[in-house]
Amino acid sequence: MGLIGEVLLLPFAPVRGTAWVIGQVVREAERIYYDPATIRAELARLERRLADGEITAEEFDRAEDQLLDRLETSTRTGDGTTR
């Protein structure tokens, strides 16, 4: 982009910067959300809650299905993100 284009788009620089930051935050959140180690830790916590009687077997099954779906998505993409 030429100098004139940069000058004309200068007022939009804060918007472009904000959009870039939001994109980075979303990518990092997805990376953590689909991280297999994070999912396994959540599964272990879920099993402890079931063993301690904090949740019912139905609640456990529902939450476990969601976590296993996330783990499958993570391993299917290969890099821990949903791209």
Side-chain angles (χ1 to χ4, degrees), residues 24-67:
Q24 296 297 315
V25 169
V26 166
R27 273 191 286 287
E28 181 64 12
E30 285 180 344
R31 187 191 65 75
I32 292 170
Y33 185 76
Y34 288 104
D35 179 28
T38 301
I39 297 168
R40 288 187 190 101
E42 288 182 34
L43 280 168
R45 273 193 301 276
L46 188 63
E47 288 175 357
R48 277 194 306 274
R49 291 184 66 202
L50 178 65
D52 292 344
E54 294 178 18
I55 60 173
T56 65
E58 293 81 20
E59 292 170 320
F60 173 82
D61 289 340
R62 199 170 337 151
E64 182 185 41
D65 287 344
Q66 291 173 348
L67 289 170

Side-chain angles (χ1 to χ4, degrees), residues 67-80:
L67 289 170
L68 292 176
D69 287 346
R70 277 175 45 197
L71 187 60
E72 181 182 339
T73 299
S74 171
T75 56
R76 192 173 346 116
T77 59
D79 65 354

Side-chain angles (χ1 to χ4, degrees), residues 1 4-20:
M1 186 173 298
I4 294 175
E6 288 293 325
V7 170
L8 291 175
L9 292 176
L10 192 59
F12 298 106
V15 173
R16 291 189 323 210
T18 301
W20 179 83

